[in-house]
Amino acid sequence: AKQVVRDHHGRLPTDEAALRSLPGIGPATVAGIRAFAWNLPAAYLETNVRSAFLHTFFSRRRKVLDLEIRRLIELTCDRRNPREWYYALLDYGVMIKKRYGNPNRRSAHYARQSPFKGSDRELRGKIVQLLLKKSHTEDRIKKITGVGNLKLHYVLNRMHEEGFIRKYKKVLFLASDAQPLETRKT
């Protein structure tokens, strides 16, 4: 966000190269921003789009490369209204998974995601929910979540390094907040 404000006057760029220069933005996110934010044609390949193409064009093949799917996406993308095209593909991909199972298992790039329950992702979500309501110490977060010291400390350190949370006198708060809620003057 800081780079967008500094280099692009607070507006996401439409240019593919400019979007790719932003930290943490890869090809799928670039294509998603171009298609959904700007309604520009882009080869947007994500799990439900992949499902739609695997089911429709590669129903009998295994180990299909994303490169093959991306070529078809580029050829079939609606140039006048890519946003609506992708909305339809996303819905179609969801329907396929419900009706026929997950065709993504036939992708050469398929990797089963680890379970959410008990994962770092789940803990991060709980921490964000807590800090949205009010600031907390690490000890208080430990009591509320029931997570052990090592795991909690690791996740909190990662969230701090990534810029999601900050610490002020042992109090943790979301980085989007200027200061801990308890110290603000009303």
Side-chain angles (χ1 to χ4, degrees), residues 17 54 116 122 166:
L54 284 167
F116 183 71
E122 181 185 34
R166 292 195 179 136

Side-chain angles (χ1 to χ4, degrees), residues 120-138:
D120 290 356
R121 292 176 293 142
E122 181 185 34
L123 179 56
R124 289 169 68 103
K126 286 179 182 177
I127 292 167
V128 169
Q129 285 178 332
L130 289 170
L131 296 179
L132 278 169
K133 293 176 185 165
K134 74 179 225 173
S135 306
H136 291 282
T137 64
E138 186 170 334

Side-chain angles (χ1 to χ4, degrees), residues 28-40:
T29 305
V30 167
I33 291 169
R34 288 179 48 86
F36 293 107
W38 302 112
N39 202 24
L40 295 170

Side-chain angles (χ1 to χ4, degrees), residues 130 134-145:
L130 289 170
K134 74 179 225 173
S135 306
H136 291 282
T137 64
E138 186 170 334
D139 286 341
R140 182 73 184 133
I141 292 172
K142 179 184 173 198
K143 284 179 186 171
I144 294 169
T145 62

Side-chain angles (χ1 to χ4, degrees), residues 47-165:
T47 186
N48 291 315
V49 172
R50 184 182 290 110
S51 290
F53 278 83
L54 284 167
H55 177 79
T56 304
F57 296 103
F58 302 98
S59 63
R60 300 188 197 289
R61 280 198 40 211
R62 300 234 176 266
K63 304 292 182 191
V64 179
L65 297 172
D66 279 353
L67 181 64
E68 297 174 88
I69 298 169
R70 193 176 318 286
R71 283 187 198 130
L72 287 173
I73 291 171
E74 289 169 356
L75 289 170
T76 59
C77 181
D78 183 332
R79 300 266 181 242
R80 283 182 279 163
N81 198 348
R83 183 184 296 136
E84 290 297 318
W85 171 245
Y86 285 117
Y87 284 149
L89 278 175
L90 293 170
D91 288 346
Y92 182 53
V94 169
M95 185 275 303
I96 287 167
K97 286 178 181 176
K98 286 180 181 175
R99 186 172 289 173
Y100 302 105
N102 188 357
N104 283 325
R105 292 184 179 117
R106 295 195 316 270
S107 167
H109 309 281
Y110 177 75
R112 185 174 208 104
Q113 193 172 35
S114 61
F116 183 71
K117 187 81 174 142
S119 69
D120 290 356
R121 292 176 293 142
E122 181 185 34
L123 179 56
R124 289 169 68 103
K126 286 179 182 177
I127 292 167
V128 169
Q129 285 178 332
L130 289 170
L131 296 179
L132 278 169
K133 293 176 185 165
K134 74 179 225 173
S135 306
H136 291 282
T137 64
E138 186 170 334
D139 286 341
R140 182 73 184 133
I141 292 172
K142 179 184 173 198
K143 284 179 186 171
I144 294 169
T145 62
V147 174
N149 281 338
L150 286 177
K151 181 172 182 162
L152 180 62
H153 192 69
Y154 169 78
V155 169
L156 289 172
N157 278 342
R158 291 285 314 271
M159 291 177 77
H160 183 265
E161 288 168 7
E162 294 165 359
F164 283 107
I165 61 174

